[in-house]
Every structure is written in structure tokens, then in C-alpha cells.
Amino acid sequence: MKRNSITLVVGSILLVLFLVLLFSYQLRVTEIAVVTTFGKPSHPSFDPGWKFRWPWPIQNVYKFDKRIQNFEGKFEQTSTRDKRPLLVLLYVGWTISDPQLFFTSFRDGAVTAAEPALESLVRTKKHEVVGQHPFSDFVSTDTNKLKFLQIERELKDAIATQARTSYGIEIKFVGIKQLALPESITQKVFDQMQSERQTEVLRLQGEGEAQAKNIRSAADRELNEILAKADAEATRIRGEGVAEATKSLAVLQQNPELAIFLMKVSALEQSLKERSTLVLDQRTPPFDLLQLPPSSTGPSVLEGGATAPKTGANK
Amino acid sequence: MSDDINLQSHLEKQKAPPPPVEPPEGHLEDSGSRALSEALRSSFLVLKFVMVLLILVFLASGVFIVGPQENAIILRFGKPKGTGERLVLGPGLHWSFPRPIDEVVRIPTKELQTVVSTIGWYQTTEVQERARTEPPPGPSLNPAVDGYTLTGDGNIIHVRGTLRYRIKNPLRYSLDFVNASNLVQNALNNALVFVSAQYGVDNALRLDLAGFREKVLARVEQAANDQHLGITLESKDLTLSLIPPRQVNEAFERVQGAEQERRKAINDAIGYANQIRSRAEGDAASIINAGHTDRNRLLAAIAAEAQSFSSQLPHYQQNPKLFVQRLQTETLQRILTNSNDKFFLHQGSNGKTPQLRIELNREPRRPASTNTPPAR
């Protein structure tokens, strides 16, 4: 009997467990559940935890991830409106907004099952939206012409509408993850960059030379101006001096003959200061004393030891 | 046969007692069934033992460790267990019921997280870069493996960023998103593409690095807010590197060289100009000084002359002839004393002026002179 009771206990525990599992389900905090009663769905439930249900075939429980999913498109080539090729890679954040529609669109209501449909939707809309914008809307140094953010918004709106109506998916945000050019074009861009750099080098060199030259010639000009002004000033000062001197010389007007005589004497002395050879007439005073004096003149001063060398005086 | 019936019922009674009590007869069937029931009993024991063991193992599997750089929460039947302080488990050893009752979810802490951009740089690994053995640049960039961004003026640059951030609400960060840190990373990528698209290549690489960085930070913040990621950033937590494509690196370096040359040429010219200017002022000053000197000298000379005139005038006026003669004689005396050679010509009686031929020489040597007296 003891044996049977143990078996009974274990057996009944197992039975209870089985029934519990049959009549309940767990809802994870990251999930929402849709319960169908005889195939008719009810409102989705959001509260996590342990919940009651009727077992199949009365009720079925479908669970859906309510978190924001990450999706990335393929890095493929599209054309802008002005026929320029551009590679655009988009990343998308989405959630399941309509579980029933989602479930009917994708097997098991699994998130991964939605990805192929999303990819083709994203690709289609990408081609559409990119084709409506010229290349300069994507990259431009003029912030008025750049429409980067607007393009992202347009992509989101375009994708969101169809995602919602066709798949029950809500698009939360769309962003451009990467932009690129086809490989062959990158080479052309490099060539252009190099020639632009070369132009820049020449420009800088030219600018440097021109500015340096300007600075130097301006300095030279200034120098000449300054010196010319100084010369003019010096001349003016000298002129002032002459004018003043002339005033001083007015005193000489008192007796011009004396003045002239004094000037002559001074000039004579100055010019014969040294190294001069003089040839003189014997009659020039004081050498007229070398002649035998006529009685009218003063006493004879002819003596030996006269310092001036003389030639023989002939009479 | 009542004896037979009695015997039968007696045997039956004997079968009823528990197996360990061996019937005195010791029939083969009895020992067999006895062995069987013994075996069953011991296997039930074993079974019970195993069941208990299984339950213990089951419960023990609920032990888990939370690492030093993470936190964790427990979902009981899918619902977070505990609230407030008790909700988040720190690093260490913990226990929960195993699946299907409890589930352990690791969540990030509020410490600094790091994320690195994944677009915008050419193909290489950190190891390669440190050893400077990165693959050589080809003539073009393959978008499938090499990353880069387009600048606003249609050029190409490589850009790379590292962003550190904190999570304000780690619970929502883990539970609202499948992969929130991936979204932070893509916000960084998107910001790099967006800001590159507005900048000219010179501004991005050299002239306005600070502005570039600021705009990237602003864009990441905006995206994080729009997407409700719940993170906080600080300006110092973003590091960027930007380089021109390796294929055109030389050309860019040449531009830098040309800029330096330009600066040097201008500086040299300025130096020359300064030199000239100071020289000019000095020269001008000396020119004017010379003027002053000349003027002063002239004035002094004239003043002396006027002075000497004024002082001699009365003497002259007293006796002009005497004065003149005296002065003349004095002057001659001085002149004759100073001069080197003096020759006197005597006028001949016939009234003719004698001829004198003198060889004049600059050297101090006395010139050879010939003196031919006039023919009589």
C-alpha cells in the first residue's frame, strides 16, 4: 500500500503539472500575444506573466516580439535623378504593429520571416526616392541645397505606408548608414582630387610670391619716400640757414668794400694753406722791401739772414 | 471433496502473506515471483533515488554568475521579478528557478559603453595598422570592403569614430530593443555620413575639425533622442580621425607644403620690410642731421665773419689805407710761411717780364728748376 501511495502521489503531481501546462501560457515582457478562440482572434494582450487559456482546439495562442527590430538593406547601386550612380545602404527600425496582419503575412509570425519582404520593399522604395533627387541633394556644401534629412524622412514615409498596410509592420525610423560610388568612379574622383590639389599648390605659390613682392616693393617705396622727405627737409634747413646767414651778413652792408676785402684776404689764405708754389713779382709788398728802397720809403731793412731764398738781385 | 477445497483455500491464504515470508513448501514459482518482486522493489528504490537526484539537479541548474561588467534581471514566467532595488542583480553568484519558471536576462550597466563606427575606413585590422602592414592601396576603392564617405564637394575621405556613452535606463535599453547598441553604432555611422556630406574636403580635414566633430555629436544625440535609446553623451567622449584617401595622400601633403612655403615667403618679405623701415628712419635722421650740421656750421661761420667785420670796421674807418696795407702784409707773411716754394721774379730794366720755367711736381721733392735770365 505504501508503494502505491508514493506512485499515486508522483502520478498525481505529474498530472497536475500536465494540466497546468495545458491550461496556461507565459507571456514574456518583450512579447505580445494574440489568443484565438475557435479561430477568432481577440485583442492582443500586453501584460507579461503567467496567463490562463483554454487548450487547443478551443484556443490558440500566438506570440509576437514587440521590441524594435533592426533591419539593414543591401548596399546596392541606384541612380539619382540626374542619372548619377550612387550606392545607398539603409538601416531600419521596425516593430509589429498589427499582429494579426503580420501573422497572416509571415509564417509563424516570426520576425525573421519578415526580412525578405522588408528587403524587397526597402529596395523598391529606395530606388523610387533616390531617383527623385539629384546628386546634389545627397552631398552639398551649401546647407540650403543639402536634403539629406529630408530624403531620410521621405524614405521612411514611403516604406512605412506600405509596410503598415501590407504587413502590419510599423517603421519607427530609417537612416542612411552608408553612401558610396561605384568602384570605377572612385578612380575618377581620385584623379580629380589630385588635379584640384595641384591647382591649389600653384595658387598658393602664386599668392605667396605676389604678396611677398607687394610687401617688398611697398617697403622700398616707403624707403624712398622717407629719404626724399628727409632730403627735402635737410635742404629746407640749409636754406633756412642761408636765409638767416644772409640776415647776419646785412651788417656787412655798412662797408661793402671792407667786407669784400676781408673776404678776399680770407679766401686767399684758405686756398694757399699748404703745398702751394708761389711765383711772385718782386714789387709785391712786403717783398718790395727786398729792393733797394727809394728814399721815400722807410729805412732799409736789407740784412743778412733773410729767410726767403733769393735770386741775385740785378740792377 | 471438502478436503480438497480446504486445502485450496489454505494454499490461497498462504499466498496472501508478504513475499519475504517464504512459504514452507519453497515452490519454484514462488521463488521466481519472489525474486521478481524483490527486483521490482529495488528498482523502485533506484527510481525514487534517481527522481530525487533529477529534481536536485534541476534546482541546482538555476545557479548563475553575473560578470563584473554586467547586471541581470530575472523574468519569472516572463515578468520581471522584483521592483526597484531588488530588480537589478549586480555582479556575483545568484540563483533562480531554472527554465521554464525563471529566465535570466543580462542587461548592461550604467557605466561607460563604447561603440566604434563601421563604415568609412578602408579595409584593415587593428593589428595590421599597429604593425603598419595594412594592405596597400589599390587604384580605386571597392565599396564592398573599403569604407569611405563623400564630402559636400564631391570628394572622398576616410573617417572613423569612437563614441562612449552611458545608458540612462538599462532595463528599457535591453527590453525595448532587440539590439540597442547596434542602433547607437548606426547612429554614429549615419552621423559620419551626414556631416561629411555637408563639409568641403579642406574644411573637414584641416580647417574646421572642431566644427565637424561638434556636428557629429549633435547628430548622434538627435538620432538617439528620436529613437528613444535613452543614452547620454559628453563632448569629450567622441574621438574622430579623418584622412584623405591613401591614393591621393601625397597630393594633399604637397598642398600643406605649399602653404608653408607661402607663409614663409610672406614672412620673409615682412622681415625685409621691417628691416628697410628701420634703416630708412636711421638714414633719414642722419640726412636731416647733416642738414642741421651744415646750417649750424654756416651760421657759425657767418656769425664769426660778421663778428670779425664788426670788430675790424672801426679800425678800418680810422685809417683805411693803413689798415688795408697792414692786413695785406700780414696775410702775405702767413701765406709765404706756409707755402712750399716761392719764386720771385725781378722785372728787368728793359721792362720785360722774365720767363720762368718750372717743373711742377706733386711729390714733396723739390722740383728741378731752371732759370734762364733774360737775354740782354
Side-chain angles (χ1 to χ4, degrees):
Chain A
M1 280 309 177
K2 204 165 162 218
R3 181 171 25 117
N4 280 342
S5 66
I6 289 179
T7 319
L8 213 62
V9 165
V10 169
S12 50
I13 287 176
L14 287 175
L15 185 65
V16 166
L17 269 175
F18 177 68
L19 287 176
V20 161
L21 284 175
L22 201 61
F23 279 81
S24 71
Y25 69 98
Q26 276 185 36
L27 187 60
R28 198 168 183 267
V29 67
T30 59
E31 293 168 335
I32 51 179
V34 173
V35 179
T36 60
T37 317
F38 292 119
K40 191 165 90 84
S42 62
H43 290 297
S45 55
F46 294 89
D47 299 325
W50 199 354
K51 308 168 89 82
F52 174 78
R53 58 169 283 193
W54 293 101
W56 186 88
I58 304 173
Q59 282 190 332
N60 251 338
V61 177
Y62 302 99
K63 296 190 217 170
F64 303 90
D65 195 339
K66 72 178 181 192
R67 296 175 298 177
I68 294 180
Q69 314 290 327
N70 295 0
F71 173 75
E72 277 183 26
K74 288 224 167 64
F75 199 19
E76 288 166 336
Q77 189 169 321
T78 49
S79 275
T80 60
R81 193 175 74 196
D82 47 355
K83 303 282 183 288
R84 292 178 64 168
L86 184 65
L87 283 88
V88 181
L89 176 59
L90 298 176
Y91 71 98
V92 176
W94 62 274
T95 59
I96 301 172
S97 61
D98 186 344
Q100 283 149 235
L101 182 52
F102 190 81
F103 185 74
T104 54
S105 311
F106 306 113
R107 202 170 67 89
D108 299 335
V111 158
T112 43
E115 284 186 357
L118 257 181
E119 191 179 304
S120 102
L121 174 60
V122 166
R123 179 188 297 126
T124 312
K125 295 303 174 186
K126 184 172 74 176
H127 280 290
E128 249 179 58
V129 173
V130 171
Q132 287 165 2
H133 289 269
F135 192 84
S136 56
D137 281 359
F138 289 88
V139 294
S140 174
T141 48
D142 183 351
T143 40
N144 291 330
K145 292 174 74 182
L146 185 69
K147 301 223 170 37
F148 194 96
L149 298 176
Q150 184 185 325
I151 292 172
E152 282 185 340
R153 274 196 297 274
E154 283 177 19
L155 282 164
K156 172 171 178 258
D157 293 338
I159 299 173
T161 324
Q162 188 162 338
R164 196 181 325 117
T165 50
S166 303
Y167 305 123
I169 286 176
E170 185 188 338
I171 304 292
K172 291 282 190 187
F173 47 82
V174 171
I176 295 175
K177 180 175 171 180
Q178 196 172 5
L179 288 175
L181 299 169
E183 188 165 357
S184 51
I185 297 196
T186 54
Q187 201 165 356
K188 291 203 193 82
V189 174
F190 290 154
D191 292 339
Q192 190 189 322
M193 285 172 86
Q194 266 169 340
S195 67
E196 269 178 22
R197 296 297 106 194
Q198 191 51 32
T199 311
E200 184 74 359
V201 163
L202 292 174
R203 186 187 71 85
L204 286 169
Q205 283 174 344
E207 223 181 69
E209 279 171 21
Q211 274 195 33
K213 198 148 70 114
N214 281 349
I215 292 173
R216 277 177 207 268
S217 51
D220 285 337
R221 222 184 5 255
E222 247 186 82
L223 172 70
N224 287 343
E225 271 177 30
I226 290 176
L227 290 181
K229 268 204 263 189
D231 274 336
E233 181 71 3
T235 306
R236 188 189 65 82
I237 289 172
R238 284 198 197 90
E240 245 180 43
V242 167
E244 271 186 54
T246 311
K247 274 193 254 158
S248 314
L249 288 178
V251 76
L252 299 178
Q253 287 297 337
Q254 292 174 335
N255 197 327
E257 287 112 17
L258 174 60
I260 291 169
F261 176 68
L262 288 176
M263 279 183 219
K264 276 192 195 169
V265 163
S266 166
L268 191 64
E269 198 168 342
Q270 291 296 322
S271 55
L272 296 179
K273 266 229 148 75
E274 44 188 274
R275 291 234 188 145
S276 31
T277 301
L278 292 166
V279 179
L280 297 165
D281 190 303
Q282 226 169 339
R283 287 174 296 175
T284 313
F287 301 108
D288 52 349
L289 294 173
L290 295 172
Q291 295 172 338
L292 287 173
S295 52
S296 58
T297 57
S300 166
V301 214
L302 188 63
E303 294 167 359
T307 52
K310 50 188 186 280
T311 55
N314 288 342
K315 247 217 156 186
Chain B
M1 295 258 213
S2 61
D3 280 322
D4 285 321
I5 296 170
N6 280 339
L7 184 63
Q8 228 176 351
S9 64
H10 178 63
L11 277 172
E12 278 177 307
K13 276 197 207 129
Q14 280 182 329
K15 279 207 179 105
V21 178
E22 221 170 298
E25 279 81 40
H27 285 173
L28 266 169
E29 311 91 87
D30 286 338
S31 64
S33 57
R34 179 181 24 106
L36 181 64
S37 39
E38 224 186 270
L40 273 175
R41 195 174 71 94
S42 52
S43 57
F44 263 123
L45 263 178
V46 171
L47 202 63
K48 271 195 274 188
F49 179 70
V50 166
M51 268 168 53
V52 169
L53 194 66
L54 279 177
I55 290 174
L56 284 176
V57 164
F58 179 71
L59 289 176
S61 69
V63 170
F64 63 94
I65 296 177
V66 176
Q69 300 294 338
E70 52 180 8
N71 288 341
I73 57 170
I74 297 175
L75 299 179
R76 177 149 296 167
F77 301 121
K79 195 153 78 164
K81 166 175 170 275
T83 47
E85 284 269 325
R86 299 174 58 84
L87 175 59
V88 174
L89 303 171
L93 200 66
H94 299 276
W95 180 85
S96 68
F97 283 106
R99 282 235 179 211
I101 300 174
D102 281 349
E103 186 193 340
V104 175
V105 174
R106 312 279 165 155
I107 63 175
T109 63
K110 288 191 177 166
E111 299 306 307
L112 277 175
Q113 314 285 329
T114 307
V115 87
V116 179
S117 64
T118 51
I119 55 107
W121 207 260
Y122 54 86
Q123 190 186 29
T124 181
T125 65
E126 236 186 83
V127 175
Q128 279 179 323
E129 270 189 44
R130 265 201 296 269
R132 293 183 188 274
T133 57
E134 49 202 30
S140 56
L141 290 173
N142 178 0
V145 297
D146 293 314
Y148 55 87
T149 57
L150 303 177
T151 61
D153 50 8
N155 288 322
I156 288 174
I157 58 172
H158 290 299
V159 55
R160 185 158 66 172
T162 304
L163 180 70
R164 296 189 302 173
Y165 62 99
R166 283 178 205 273
I167 305 169
K168 285 194 283 211
N169 188 338
L171 198 63
R172 296 263 64 85
Y173 190 83
S174 314
L175 297 181
D176 288 350
F177 303 92
V178 169
N179 189 345
S181 60
N182 187 258
L183 290 176
V184 176
Q185 191 177 51
N186 275 340
L188 178 61
N189 288 332
N190 172 270
L192 294 177
V193 173
F194 174 58
V195 178
S196 296
Q198 316 171 11
Y199 263 70
V201 66
D202 291 303
N203 287 343
L205 293 179
R206 285 182 297 122
L207 304 173
D208 193 15
L209 270 174
F212 192 100
R213 205 169 148 282
E214 253 181 59
K215 288 211 170 75
V216 169
L217 209 58
R219 174 75 182 139
V220 173
E221 263 182 335
Q222 192 193 12
N225 286 342
D226 290 344
Q227 298 169 15
H228 306 291
L229 295 175
I231 62 173
T232 56
L233 307 168
E234 277 176 57
S235 167
K236 59 177 170 65
D237 288 331
L238 174 67
T239 46
L240 288 181
S241 11
L242 294 94
I243 59 166
R246 296 174 292 164
Q247 290 83 346
V248 299
N249 199 24
E250 239 185 77
F252 275 81
E253 283 179 355
R254 272 201 294 272
V255 170
Q256 276 185 305
E259 249 189 23
Q260 277 179 338
E261 273 176 35
R262 171 182 168 277
R263 248 190 308 242
K264 181 170 178 302
I266 291 178
N267 281 345
D268 284 350
I270 291 178
Y272 169 84
N274 286 342
Q275 213 181 34
I276 292 259
R277 215 164 277 128
S278 41
R279 187 158 69 86
E281 281 165 26
D283 287 353
S286 54
I287 287 175
I288 292 182
N289 267 351
H292 276 293
T293 310
D294 286 350
R295 170 176 170 272
N296 292 344
R297 198 171 340 116
L298 177 66
L299 286 178
I302 296 296
E305 234 178 88
Q307 179 65 22
S308 124
F309 174 86
S310 300
S311 57
Q312 301 207 40
L313 182 62
H315 298 279
Y316 177 79
Q317 281 168 338
Q318 266 179 11
N319 190 340
K321 268 208 182 90
L322 177 61
F323 181 86
V324 166
Q325 195 68 356
R326 180 180 58 80
L327 190 57
Q328 205 166 345
T329 310
E330 274 175 24
T331 307
L332 271 174
Q333 177 186 325
R334 278 199 295 275
I335 289 170
L336 292 170
T337 313
N338 285 339
S339 73
N340 283 343
D341 301 309
K342 300 165 258 281
F343 299 96
F344 297 95
L345 293 179
H346 170 68
Q347 191 164 37
S349 47
N350 58 1
K352 281 208 200 124
T353 319
Q355 280 186 6
L356 174 66
R357 299 211 174 99
I358 305 172
E359 192 181 337
L360 295 173
N361 199 327
R362 275 174 164 261
E363 302 311 321
R365 218 162 41 82
R366 288 196 176 269
S369 56
T370 53
N371 186 1
T372 51
R376 279 206 175 245

